[in-house]
Amino acid sequence: MLTFMICLVILAVLFWLGFAITGALLKACLWLFILLPIGLALCVLGLALCCTLILIPIGAKLFTSGLHVILPG
């Protein structure tokens, strides 16, 4: 009975470790393949709009929102 409980504890720790690693990898892939390209596109569009005199406020907002997408927090 004691060995069965020890095996269950070891199994639970391994599942928890696997869940944590899988979550970290999923978050990294989400940032790398979705958030980074969207953020870079917003930054480039913001810089392009800052070249015109009338669209500077919109370009600045797009640039800052692109930076917030790339670097949240």
Side-chain angles (χ1 to χ4, degrees), residues 1 7-8 10-11 13-14 17 20 24-25 27-29 32 39 45 47-50 53-54 62 64-66 72-73:
M1 185 67 167
C7 288
L8 283 179
I10 291 172
L11 188 64
V13 168
L14 288 176
L17 185 64
L25 288 174
K27 186 174 181 178
C29 288
L32 184 64
L45 184 63
L47 285 176
L49 289 179
C50 281
L53 186 62
I54 202 163
L62 279 175
T64 56
S65 66

